[in-house]
Amino acid sequence: MKRILYFIIIYTIVSLSIFCEQTQAEQITIGYIELTPYYYTNSENKPDGTLLHLTKRIMNKAGYDCCYKSMPSKRILHTIQKGKNFASIGWFKTPQREKYAKFSLPIYENKPIVVLLRHEDHDQFIKYNTLKELLEQTKFKTGIVAGHSMGGYIDYLLEMHPQSVYTLSGTTQQLVKMLHTGHIDFCLLAPVEIAKIIKQSHYKDDKFSFMSMADIIKGNTRHLIFSKDVSNDTISRINSAITEIKYETELSRYAGH
């Protein structure tokens, strides 16, 4: 009897230990930057946005309990490098980031990035067909948020023309304000971002215009990014959830026709 009781106690301790480890593993902190319409803090001080809600669906389907926190982009990347159960939403995959982080399958693909400029300057820009040509003009300066990537090709061009780039430790809304006041001449944004960012910056749409560039023909894919401490098994489960949700979405679209 004592022997049976002993094994029951040992089994219970081991089971509780495994349960605690699993519970701890399922607690993932997810940082997000303030970038409408993808992810932002709404007027009720709650996490909001299309990709944030998609991420909640993904993590719920994969069986993970998450805490969502608004953080500056540089702090997010620093926390990713420090490790632990930490992730973030909507990042472009770059070779530099892959050195210290893990990535999920794509959760979204942007339309090709465009050039946002002041409406009054449109005639000055219309003669240039490519971003490369624009950056080669020393009279034009663009702005980027520190820690943000524009994708491999654009990042390369920006690195090759530092005299044409102003790097801001701030937000995309601040870049739009700098554009409006003339401190920079253009911004690089995905088309879906423009209307909400202008509205949040308290300007009117008719103050700005945008142009497509002939050398930016493909949009960037956005991923969930994880610290290296997040296990491959966890990321595999999350990738399976991404695949399932994409399949469900395609089925619902097909059923709607």
Side-chain angles (χ1 to χ4, degrees), residues 23-252:
T23 302
Q24 186 177 13
E26 290 171 357
Q27 300 290 326
I28 300 176
T29 299
I30 299 184
Y32 65 92
I33 63 173
E34 296 290 329
L35 182 61
T36 55
Y38 306 121
Y39 16 77
Y40 60 94
T41 305
N42 65 24
S43 58
E44 297 177 353
N45 204 33
K46 293 181 179 179
D48 206 342
T50 54
L51 294 191
L52 195 142
H53 289 298
L54 174 59
T55 299
K56 285 184 176 181
R57 282 184 64 199
I58 291 166
M59 302 307 280
N60 287 340
K61 185 175 280 289
Y64 292 96
D65 183 25
C66 301
C67 172
Y68 296 84
K69 292 184 178 180
S70 176
M71 301 167 64
S73 55
K74 289 180 74 174
R75 185 177 161 204
I76 285 175
L77 293 179
H78 178 69
T79 308
I80 289 284
Q81 292 176 64
K82 283 174 63 179
K84 298 186 179 178
N85 281 346
F86 186 80
S88 187
I89 310 170
W91 291 80
F92 299 158
K93 186 190 288 189
T94 68
Q96 181 182 5
R97 290 171 182 170
E98 286 185 286
K99 292 176 183 177
Y100 60 80
K102 297 176 181 179
F103 287 84
S104 73
L105 293 174
I107 62 171
Y108 181 79
E109 183 172 344
N110 281 351
K111 298 292 185 184
I113 284 174
V114 298
V115 167
L116 181 71
L117 56 141
R118 293 180 295 275
H119 183 72
E120 63 200 58
D121 294 338
H122 187 266
D123 290 345
Q124 296 183 50
F125 281 76
I126 198 68
K127 66 180 82 170
Y128 303 105
N129 294 317
T130 66
L131 178 60
K132 182 175 182 293
E133 288 178 300
L134 272 183
L135 292 172
E136 288 172 347
Q137 311 303 312
T138 55
K139 62 181 179 179
F140 296 136
K141 189 174 286 289
T142 189
I144 60 171
V145 176
H148 285 200
S149 170
M150 296 284 110
Y153 173 69
I154 297 177
D155 287 350
Y156 170 76
L157 288 182
L158 295 174
E159 187 177 342
M160 291 298 100
H161 301 90
Q163 76 286 348
S164 299
V165 180
Y166 176 86
T167 303
L168 168 74
S169 293
T171 66
T172 309
Q173 286 85 351
Q174 286 173 291
L175 279 184
V176 172
K177 289 179 181 180
M178 291 180 67
L179 173 61
H180 184 265
T181 57
H183 288 86
I184 57 175
D185 300 295
F186 66 95
C187 294
L188 297 164
L189 296 172
V192 71
E193 302 170 17
I194 293 174
K196 277 207 169 184
I197 290 174
I198 289 175
K199 184 178 180 180
Q200 285 190 332
S201 303
H202 307 294
Y203 299 123
K204 294 182 178 179
D205 289 349
D206 60 7
K207 296 292 183 183
F208 304 92
S209 62
F210 63 89
M211 295 170 45
S212 299
M213 296 283 101
D215 56 343
I216 308 177
I217 58 175
K218 185 174 174 58
N220 298 301
T221 55
R222 293 184 180 273
H223 306 250
L224 301 176
I225 186 174
F226 303 86
S227 70
K228 292 263 185 171
D229 285 347
V230 176
S231 71
N232 291 335
D233 179 62
T234 292
I235 295 174
S236 178
R237 287 173 63 182
I238 291 168
N239 281 338
S240 294
I242 292 170
T243 302
E244 285 182 41
I245 287 173
K246 284 187 176 180
Y247 179 67
E248 290 167 3
T249 303
E250 289 302 316
L251 277 182
S252 65

